[in-house]
Amino acid sequence: MTCDRTFVTVTLLLATAAAAVTGDDEISPTTTVNQPGPASKVVKIVALFHENDDSVNQLAYNVSTRIVNIMDTVLPKNKIVQRSEYVVNDMYNVTRIVCESMKLGIAAFIGGTDDEEIENVIRSMSSRAQIPFIETHWKTSDRPPDEYAVNLYPDPSLLSKAIRDIILDMDWESFTVIYESPMSLIRLKDLLMHFDYGQRAPGKAIRIIQMSPVEDFRPMFKELKSFGEKHIILDYGIEHIVHILEQADEVHFMGDYQSFVITNLDAHTLTFEEFHKSMANITLIRLIDPESQHVRNAVDEIVFNEQKNGRISVLTPNTLKTKTALIYDAVNFFAASLHGLVATQTMGPTRISCDDIKPWVHGYSLINYMRVMELNGLTGKMRFDGVTGNRNYFKVDVVKVHESKKHRLGSWDPSEGMTLTRSVSEIYSEIAQSITNKTFVVVGKLVQPYLMKCNATEKGIDEDEECFEGFAYELVAEMAKYNGFKFKFTTNEDYGSQNLKTGKWNGMIGELQSMRADLAICDLTITFDRRTAVDFTTPFMTLGISILYAKPEKKKPQLFWFLNPLSFSVWMYTATAYLGVSLFLFMLARITPNEWHDPQPWKDGNNELETRLNVANLIWFSCGTMLQQGSDISPQAVSTRLVAGMWWFFALIMTSSYTANLTASITSGRLDTPIKNVDDLSKDSDIQYGCYEEGSTAAFFQKSNLSLYQRMWSVMESSNPTVFTKSNQEGVDRVLKGKGRYAFLMESSSIEYQTERNCNLMQIGNTLDSKGYGIAMPMNSPYRTLISESVLRLQESGFMRELKDKWWKGVNKCEEEEESEELGFTKIGGVFVVLVLGCLIAFVFSILEFLWNIRKVAIEEEITPKEALILEWKFAMKCDGGVKPLRRRHNTSTEYESNNSDTS
């Protein structure tokens, strides 16, 4: 549509423009011409500049033409006569100048203006006349391909892909685009399409802000800082960029976490001296390589030409603008194309009148030759699309500004994409050097043993300064010692939660997002939600969720504890088996003949047999076997031996089992807990359970897909009063006060710390998941790699293990779980009671036997029971003598004593 409107405008103005032409060789006052030598064939070209354009552009145009004419190898038989015209945004004036130029007979137009409307007029008329039009301005609107135009400026769609690839290479997942005019979005089209702006923008945090360069940018930068935004894409004119960055610096938005990508191809001409102390990452893109010898030679020629004319030029390779370089390249491009064409055919320009436009017969051949040309110019290698004439090959350098100096990071071209020229070691070395000058603000939560306040006087610290100690403090101190940075601790009592409406985080995560802190370290679990908001290092501690529970009170030892290894029924079955086997052996001994023997085999004619396997002996045999003491009585027959063998096997198993269970029962001290794992906990309605309401443990149950954990979360949510706590310590206190009625779900590392210091607490079951504690830092922090490597180094060196032992192991250790505990009388006193009772019973039986024997002695000796008692008692009280004589009724007491003495 733009071309159609332009063509109508041109048609209306042609007659007026033609009338303004006074003659074929007339030259306007604004025209400059280099006259060729007499032997050369003249080829005229016209460049149109806007009256407000930089004068260096025309100077480059003139110098480039002079150099082409000097170099006989380019156009040996042709000389270029250049014509410069200054135009304003007036269609009549533009049309008149174009008509005057065609009247002279020209071979090409060169567009030196950035005005789209002016170029549309030139393009329309040159297309009618079939005169090639070499453009140096990027297309800001979609239009049908013009078959007589070729554009040296990079194709906007490819330039958009270059910016997209650069952003992706920098791992930006969110950014804010700040631009000047809607045309700027053409350069960012592919980037925004890649991130699906407008669809997934809220999740990606892609913002687009249009602001006039004259507006105050400081409020906007403050707002972006509060949102935690760190990545900015600036698309502004070269004259506004430094001023915008100065405003960002005024509101402290130029720190080491902020990154700026400037899309203007002339940004390399700026100096960033005022930002030499800034740690912000500023990235530029450029078409011109100031280190190129071709660029240096061209700049020297331009400067020399100015000096020859008595003018001073401050142009340098670092300040050469893209427009100037493209105009310089346009002349060389035309000359190279013309050289190739005249080598195959004879050609010459034709004077064309706007009254009756007759196309130039060689224009079609020349434009087609241009579109297949390849040329290395000040803006690098150029290739063009054969249909559209757009430049489809170019290379842009990616440049980083560090301490006001520019360092080339890499390059991009349509065929290779992004190519980095700096090695990983160079980038790593630069970051390592920058970290030595930084003081990290470290935020932590006061929670034992990670971070605790200490006595400043004891530590030798100024009383005005806060004193900290703990696992996290010593870990950061060790990393600071190794990497050479300084640090300062602050506290925040919230880990951080996200407001679903605003998307903002509070707590320590919010501190990092707003860049008020550089590191966050405590028992901060790495979760998916937190990982989308901040970066984490390699985990410095691995753990999982487990159950903290109060140890049940130990049962008081019972007097007959030794009976516990076997149940009452087993004791009864064993006693029954004991008596049954004894009686069964007695029965078999009565039946089998092999258990009966002659008591006096030395006497002939003895007709009596006897056996030792009577009931009393067999009961004793079974008892000795059971107690593994043996007996002097042993079966002889096969049947009785078989029963005895089975009894021995039974006694072996029962005795071994009893001994093992007795050891476990007396010495293990195992506690009888009502729950063994999380499944038992979920089924026990008498025990409440909860967790810290804003921590990762609550998030685990809330977002779990397992039915068990979903059910537990529902129970916790519906409990009244609430089972959630404001802190882990509150949960620990609640477990202690609950005395078995409340269980607290907490990270295993924290449970380990609590159980080391409170012997009334215990961990139940294994961990429910696997996670890690990491050091958090702002997203895309340049120090993430260094800090992560420090964590790995400390883990491999064993420092992390020693540090954990130092802060986890309690000073007053709990008693070891009674595996090595000495046995007290309370546990085995029952055995002594049984022994004493057995002895007392045996003594009673001995007294009864003694009295029964006195009765027999009194009858046999025909003495009174009293005399018999005295005689037997005296013998019993004498400790010597192993033979007791038979008593006769004619013996007196005196003879009895005498004989007894002699026998002794």
Side-chain angles (χ1 to χ4, degrees):
M1 295 299 295
T2 303
C3 290
D4 295 340
R5 289 195 300 269
T6 303
F7 180 75
V8 172
T9 303
V10 171
T11 304
L12 293 175
L13 296 175
L14 281 178
T16 307
V21 179
T22 58
D24 292 345
D25 297 328
E26 181 180 351
I27 300 176
S28 66
T30 59
T31 303
T32 59
V33 177
N34 284 355
Q35 297 296 334
S40 300
K41 191 172 183 179
V42 174
V43 178
K44 299 177 182 179
I45 60 175
V46 174
L48 292 94
F49 300 97
H50 196 278
E51 62 179 0
N52 295 325
D53 279 350
D54 191 346
S55 60
V56 178
N57 294 340
Q58 184 183 356
L59 183 60
Y61 171 64
N62 295 333
V63 170
S64 179
T65 305
R66 186 175 64 84
I67 293 176
V68 168
N69 290 332
I70 293 174
M71 298 175 62
D72 294 336
T73 57
V74 179
L75 287 173
K77 297 181 180 181
N78 298 85
K79 295 298 180 182
I80 296 177
V81 175
Q82 89 277 12
R83 178 185 177 93
S84 302
E85 294 285 353
Y86 285 94
V87 297
V88 295
N89 193 10
D90 178 359
M91 297 303 103
Y92 172 81
N93 181 50
V94 174
T95 305
R96 181 182 59 81
I97 293 176
V98 171
C99 286
E100 290 178 356
S101 301
M102 292 192 299
K103 192 79 171 181
L104 298 175
I106 63 172
F109 284 106
I110 295 178
T113 175
D114 293 339
D115 193 302
E116 186 79 7
E117 294 183 358
I118 293 176
E119 293 210 344
N120 284 339
V121 173
I122 303 171
R123 187 183 303 106
S124 177
M125 298 182 69
S126 66
S127 179
R128 285 288 303 275
Q130 296 186 5
I131 298 174
F133 178 34
I134 304 174
E135 298 177 281
T136 60
H137 173 64
W138 72 305
K139 296 179 181 179
T140 58
S141 61
D142 293 330
R143 58 175 183 261
D146 191 332
E147 58 181 345
Y148 287 94
V150 63
N151 198 334
L152 301 189
Y153 195 92
D155 188 334
S157 63
L158 293 179
L159 188 59
S160 176
K161 291 180 181 179
I163 297 173
R164 179 200 64 186
D165 291 348
I166 293 170
I167 297 300
L168 294 178
D169 185 74
M170 297 170 70
D171 295 329
W172 286 12
E173 294 184 357
S174 65
F175 53 84
T176 296
V177 177
I178 309 174
Y179 66 98
E180 180 177 0
S181 64
M183 292 185 298
S184 302
L185 296 179
I186 298 176
R187 277 190 285 257
L188 306 170
K189 178 182 176 181
D190 278 77
L191 176 64
L192 299 178
M193 289 179 62
H194 176 82
F195 283 91
D196 291 338
Y197 179 75
Q199 299 179 23
R200 294 185 299 182
K204 291 287 186 178
I206 310 301
R207 301 179 182 88
I208 299 181
I209 303 173
Q210 181 180 5
M211 291 188 67
S212 171
V214 298
E215 293 185 57
D216 188 357
F217 285 74
R218 287 168 292 192
M220 179 199 63
F221 284 131
K222 287 182 179 179
E223 184 179 2
L224 292 178
K225 186 176 182 180
S226 67
F227 283 129
E229 182 61 84
K230 298 179 288 295
H231 304 140
I232 305 297
I233 298 176
L234 286 179
D235 195 289
Y236 280 86
I238 193 66
E239 66 275 10
H240 305 300
I241 292 175
V242 172
H243 178 62
I244 294 173
L245 293 179
E246 287 176 347
Q247 294 184 67
D249 195 27
E250 289 176 8
V251 294
H252 306 290
F253 198 68
M254 291 281 286
D256 46 2
Y257 297 116
Q258 279 79 32
S259 296
F260 294 83
V261 170
I262 301 174
T263 60
N264 194 304
L265 292 177
D266 288 332
H268 67 279
T269 64
L270 298 173
T271 59
F272 297 90
E273 291 294 336
E274 55 267 51
F275 308 114
H276 70 280
K277 293 184 179 179
S278 171
M279 299 295 291
N281 181 10
I282 302 176
T283 303
L284 318 173
I285 57 175
R286 68 188 183 193
L287 275 175
I288 303 170
D289 182 9
E291 303 298 325
S292 168
Q293 189 61 43
H294 188 22
V295 173
R296 291 180 177 275
N297 291 340
V299 171
D300 290 342
E301 286 292 335
I302 295 174
V303 173
F304 175 75
N305 187 78
E306 285 289 88
Q307 292 175 348
K308 186 175 65 174
N309 295 327
R311 294 186 292 267
I312 298 177
S313 175
V314 294
L315 184 67
T316 66
N318 290 316
T319 59
L320 180 64
K321 292 184 178 181
T322 304
K323 183 73 173 182
T324 305
L326 288 174
I327 292 176
Y328 187 96
D329 286 342
V331 176
N332 286 273
F333 175 68
F334 169 77
S337 302
L338 186 63
H339 176 75
L341 185 62
V342 298
T344 60
Q345 58 181 286
T346 302
M347 61 156 287
T350 302
R351 301 174 185 270
I352 300 174
S353 173
C354 288
D355 293 332
D356 183 18
I357 296 180
K358 295 180 179 180
W360 182 34
V361 293
H362 300 291
Y364 183 77
S365 300
L366 181 58
I367 193 65
N368 286 335
Y369 201 90
M370 286 181 176
R371 291 184 174 184
V372 299
M373 273 281 298
E374 284 192 13
L375 179 70
N376 286 317
L378 301 186
T379 57
K381 181 182 289 187
M382 294 181 284
R383 282 201 300 261
F384 303 90
D385 186 279
V387 177
T388 64
N390 293 333
R391 182 175 177 177
N392 59 13
Y393 184 88
F394 58 92
K395 179 180 287 188
V396 292
D397 288 340
V398 182
V399 180
K400 178 183 177 181
V401 179
H402 179 67
E403 294 182 352
S404 73
K405 296 180 180 179
K406 302 179 182 70
H407 306 274
R408 184 170 178 266
L409 297 178
S411 61
W412 183 94
D413 63 71
S415 58
E416 298 294 333
M418 189 68 186
T419 304
L420 296 177
T421 57
R422 300 184 68 197
S423 64
V424 176
S425 60
E426 289 176 339
I427 298 174
Y428 181 87
S429 176
E430 181 179 314
I431 297 175
Q433 183 178 1
S434 65
I435 200 174
T436 57
N437 300 321
K438 182 171 178 59
T439 298
F440 282 95
V441 177
V442 186
V443 61
K445 182 178 180 180
L446 290 175
V447 55
Q448 297 177 345
Y450 300 96
L451 189 64
M452 300 165 286
K453 288 193 175 183
C454 60
N455 191 318
T457 304
E458 294 180 358
K459 296 288 185 177
I461 303 175
D462 190 352
E463 295 182 356
D464 295 334
E465 297 183 11
E466 286 190 292
C467 178
F468 296 99
E469 62 181 359
F471 177 88
Y473 184 87
E474 292 195 14
L475 176 58
V476 174
E478 184 66 19
M479 289 191 297
K481 179 180 177 182
Y482 178 77
N483 292 298
F485 63 83
K486 300 177 182 178
F487 64 94
K488 177 183 179 182
F489 261 87
T490 62
T491 59
N492 193 308
E493 293 309 306
D494 290 326
Y495 296 104
S497 58
Q498 186 180 22
N499 187 315
L500 299 180
K501 293 183 179 179
T502 63
K504 291 185 178 181
W505 287 74
N506 59 11
M508 289 185 288
I509 303 298
E511 295 271 353
L512 294 175
Q513 281 194 328
S514 60
M515 277 78 74
R516 293 191 298 270
D518 301 295
L519 303 174
I521 180 171
C522 62
D523 52 341
L524 187 63
T525 307
I526 303 174
T527 64
F528 175 79
D529 289 339
R530 291 172 180 170
R531 181 61 186 82
T532 59
V534 296
D535 269 339
F536 281 93
T537 63
T538 302
F540 61 82
M541 188 180 297
T542 55
L543 54 129
I545 298 173
S546 192
I547 305 170
L548 180 67
Y549 193 63
K551 283 184 180 179
E553 295 182 0
K554 298 179 182 179
K555 296 181 180 179
K556 294 182 179 181
Q558 300 174 356
L559 186 61
F560 296 98
W561 193 304
F562 64 91
L563 297 177
N564 289 341
L566 302 179
S567 64
F568 177 77
S569 59
V570 173
W571 280 116
M572 292 298 99
Y573 293 148
T574 303
T576 302
Y578 167 70
L579 293 176
V581 169
S582 299
L583 295 176
F584 187 63
L585 282 173
F586 174 72
M587 181 184 69
L588 293 179
R590 302 289 295 178
I591 295 173
T592 178
N594 294 330
E595 294 294 348
W596 295 90
H597 306 283
D598 185 359
Q600 296 178 342
W602 59 86
K603 291 184 179 181
D604 294 333
N606 189 1
N607 295 326
E608 294 182 353
L609 298 176
E610 64 179 17
T611 181
R612 301 181 64 188
L613 301 183
N614 53 36
V615 174
N617 288 343
L618 288 174
I619 290 176
W620 177 250
F621 167 78
S622 299
C623 179
T625 302
M626 178 65 75
L627 299 178
Q628 297 183 349
Q629 298 301 316
S631 174
D632 56 351
I633 301 172
S634 60
Q636 301 297 321
V638 174
S639 59
T640 53
R641 285 185 175 182
L642 183 59
V643 174
M646 292 299 99
W647 173 250
W648 290 344
F649 178 75
F650 172 81
L652 173 66
I653 299 301
M654 290 301 297
T655 303
S656 300
S657 301
Y658 173 81
T659 304
N661 284 352
L662 179 65
T663 303
S665 177
I666 294 177
T667 64
S668 68
R670 290 177 296 180
L671 302 177
D672 186 16
T673 57
I675 55 174
K676 303 296 183 184
N677 49 49
V678 70
D679 190 56
D680 293 344
L681 179 62
S682 65
K683 295 177 181 178
D684 196 328
S685 58
D686 294 332
I687 302 177
Q688 289 185 319
Y689 50 87
C691 61
Y692 173 53
E693 62 180 350
E694 294 183 355
S696 59
T697 302
F700 168 78
F701 283 95
Q702 184 179 12
K703 298 179 180 180
S704 176
N705 294 324
L706 296 179
S707 58
L708 172 62
Y709 301 149
Q710 289 177 345
R711 186 170 64 252
M712 293 179 67
W713 176 252
S714 299
V715 172
M716 286 189 282
E717 274 193 316
S718 59
S719 297
N720 189 16
T722 180
V723 294
F724 296 110
T725 63
K726 300 295 183 181
S727 65
N728 284 338
Q729 188 58 46
E730 181 182 340
V732 173
D733 296 339
R734 191 166 176 178
V735 169
L736 292 172
K737 294 178 182 178
K739 296 183 178 180
R741 311 299 296 178
Y742 180 82
F744 190 62
L745 297 159
M746 188 167 61
E747 284 89 353
S748 56
S749 59
S750 300
I751 292 178
E752 180 184 355
Y753 178 79
Q754 295 294 338
T755 54
E756 282 284 342
R757 282 155 178 76
N758 196 322
C759 300
N760 295 323
L761 297 173
M762 63 184 299
Q763 178 177 332
I764 298 293
N766 297 322
T767 56
L768 311 185
D769 64 344
S770 179
K771 60 183 71 174
Y773 289 157
I775 302 176
M777 56 191 67
M779 184 66 73
N780 294 325
S781 170
Y783 311 111
R784 178 179 58 181
T785 302
L786 282 175
I787 301 299
S788 291
E789 288 183 356
S790 298
V791 172
L792 290 175
R793 182 184 61 84
L794 295 177
Q795 287 176 338
E796 293 176 356
S797 65
F799 174 83
M800 206 76 76
R801 180 72 259 175
E802 295 176 359
L803 188 61
K804 184 179 179 183
D805 290 342
K806 173 183 177 180
W807 289 101
W808 257 255
K809 297 299 182 182
V811 178
N812 299 320
K813 294 184 178 180
C814 298
E815 295 180 0
E816 294 292 336
E817 263 321 313
E818 291 93 0
E819 293 182 359
S820 60
E821 182 183 0
E822 296 181 354
L823 295 178
F825 184 78
T826 55
K827 288 191 174 181
I828 60 173
V831 179
F832 291 92
V833 173
V834 171
L835 178 61
V836 172
L837 289 177
C839 293
L840 292 176
I841 293 172
F843 179 72
V844 171
F845 275 97
S846 66
I847 296 298
L848 294 176
E849 291 176 345
F850 180 76
L851 296 176
W852 182 260
N853 184 56
I854 288 174
R855 176 180 174 277
K856 291 175 60 178
V857 171
I859 294 174
E860 292 176 357
E861 298 294 333
E862 297 180 352
I863 57 178
T864 62
K866 182 179 180 180
E867 293 174 343
L869 176 61
I870 293 172
L871 290 175
E872 291 296 322
W873 181 255
K874 286 183 177 181
F875 179 78
M877 292 298 101
K878 295 179 65 175
C879 295
D880 56 343
V883 179
K884 185 177 182 180
L886 292 174
R887 295 168 176 77
R888 302 302 177 187
R889 64 184 62 181
H890 60 272
N891 292 118
T892 61
S893 60
T894 304
E895 292 174 341
Y896 183 86
E897 293 178 1
S898 176
N899 291 335
N900 184 56
S901 178
D902 295 339
T903 304
S904 300

